[in-house]
Amino acid sequence: MEAVTTPGSDMVLTSSGSTALPERLLRRDLERQQEAGKRRQEKERRTVDEEKQDFFKASFRPERDALEQLLQPGDDPGKGTGEAELQDAGVRLQALQKLVNDSLRFLPSYDVKLAQDALQRLQVALVDRREQLQPKKKFAFKSRERKETPPAPAPAQLEPITAPLPEPAHTCGFRGLEGQSLALNGEELSGRDVQLADLRDCRVQLQGSPGTLHMRGLRGCTVLCGPVSSSVFMDECHNCELTFPCQQLRVHRSTNTRIYLHVTCRAIIEDCRRLGFAPLTWNYPGMGEDYLRAGLDRSRNHWSQVDDFDWLARDAASPNWGIVPEEERRVQWD
């Protein structure tokens, strides 16, 4: 049976002369079916996301609570959590960080903030417990046996100003220096927590793969760091130039700073002004191997995707950060 459209009309006639549905109604019916299909797919997607969120909460909360209990400070540093337990806590904390990173695409921003705040508190608690485990220096009386009096020892010399922080074995870094050129190599950095604090007009070069990087109170500094296996935390950093690859970046109370970045999830800023972001431009021999040690995906880089927790408007860009123009990006770091 052949169907034709009558001239000047959208009516469809069959070969027998009967009238079929108008072409306009056919189009509407097709559009309605397509729209129903889209709504069904969107509903299924929301259902899947909700199921993933429920799984995340069911997995994250108990592990977070268990780590908080494990790392809870005690009255007696010599009792409770030991070195083996702290190593296990570090591994579990990294796994919890990976769970958050893998869940960013479907978690609401508020839940992401709560989870990352919890991770930061756990990281601080882990460092504090490691410090408590460091043995205190013991004093002993010298023998009263008469011996030939040795020459008086020379006065103790202060460590050079460029010496690393006297931190526990799992932590290294620099603190309270001005106008210095500072560096740590791969063996000194591997998997450790790096802390840079209260530095002014310093250049810091970290060639290796640290576990985390904490920067606080930096003024006019340049920091070049190799791939960080988990998170970079910045607080009160002003007038700096920073470059590093990492899984997660969290920036607090910082101003007038440029960040050359490779990050595998969206960066987060809070209480910040005049931050500039650009893709990573620093390189050094062996950096590819450090990427592998850190477990970072070089093909996944969200350097230009930044969430500002102080700017909730969806229809306008945050005034607190921007993209560094290509002609202004730094490519030479020597």
Side-chain angles (χ1 to χ4, degrees), residues 236-256:
E236 294 189 343
C237 295
H238 308 283
N239 304 311
C240 295
E241 280 191 310
L242 315 169
T243 178
F244 45 78
C246 62
Q247 282 193 19
Q248 172 191 329
L249 172 64
R250 186 73 178 267
V251 188
H252 294 272
R253 299 178 295 181
S254 299
T255 61
N256 199 35

Side-chain angles (χ1 to χ4, degrees), residues 10-24:
D10 59 359
M11 298 294 291
V12 178
L13 298 178
T14 67
S15 59
S16 62
S18 60
T19 303
L21 289 174
E23 185 178 354
R24 180 174 54 194

Side-chain angles (χ1 to χ4, degrees), residues 43-213:
K43 182 178 179 180
E44 292 173 353
R45 186 193 64 79
R46 286 199 303 266
T47 300
V48 171
D49 284 351
E50 289 172 359
E51 291 175 352
K52 289 181 178 179
Q53 292 172 22
D54 291 340
F55 173 79
F56 171 82
K57 293 176 181 178
S59 304
F60 181 84
R61 289 174 178 174
E63 185 67 1
R64 177 202 61 192
D65 295 343
L67 285 172
E68 287 178 348
Q69 183 67 28
L70 179 64
L71 299 174
Q72 186 175 5
D75 296 333
D76 185 356
K79 296 182 179 180
T81 309
E83 181 62 29
E85 287 80 3
L86 286 185
Q87 290 181 359
D88 178 60
V91 173
R92 292 168 64 180
L93 184 54
Q94 286 188 351
L96 205 59
Q97 175 71 68
K98 186 177 186 303
L99 174 63
V100 174
N101 291 341
D102 293 342
S103 306
L104 289 174
R105 65 188 65 184
F106 58 79
L107 284 179
S109 297
Y110 181 73
D111 288 344
V112 172
K113 183 178 186 301
L114 291 180
Q116 292 178 334
D117 284 343
L119 288 173
Q120 187 171 14
R121 289 195 302 270
L122 289 171
Q123 184 66 46
V124 172
L126 180 61
V127 172
D128 290 343
R129 292 299 288 161
R130 283 172 174 165
E131 288 180 349
Q132 286 185 341
L133 278 181
Q134 298 307 298
K136 299 181 181 296
K137 292 183 178 180
K138 297 181 179 180
F139 296 89
F141 292 102
K142 294 182 179 180
S143 171
R144 292 181 177 274
E145 183 180 353
R146 295 179 62 85
K147 294 182 179 180
E148 182 177 353
T149 305
Q157 298 295 319
L158 295 176
E159 292 184 348
I161 197 169
T162 57
L165 287 171
E167 298 286 354
H170 293 82
T171 306
C172 60
F174 303 96
R175 175 184 293 146
L177 306 178
E178 182 175 355
Q180 301 293 312
S181 181
L182 312 169
L184 292 172
N185 60 34
E187 293 183 359
E188 296 170 308
L189 293 171
S190 182
R192 300 174 73 182
D193 303 324
V194 178
Q195 297 188 12
L196 306 176
D198 303 323
L199 302 179
R200 185 180 295 273
D201 298 325
C202 290
R203 175 185 170 89
V204 184
Q205 186 164 307
L206 308 171
Q207 289 192 16
S209 177
T212 59
L213 174 60

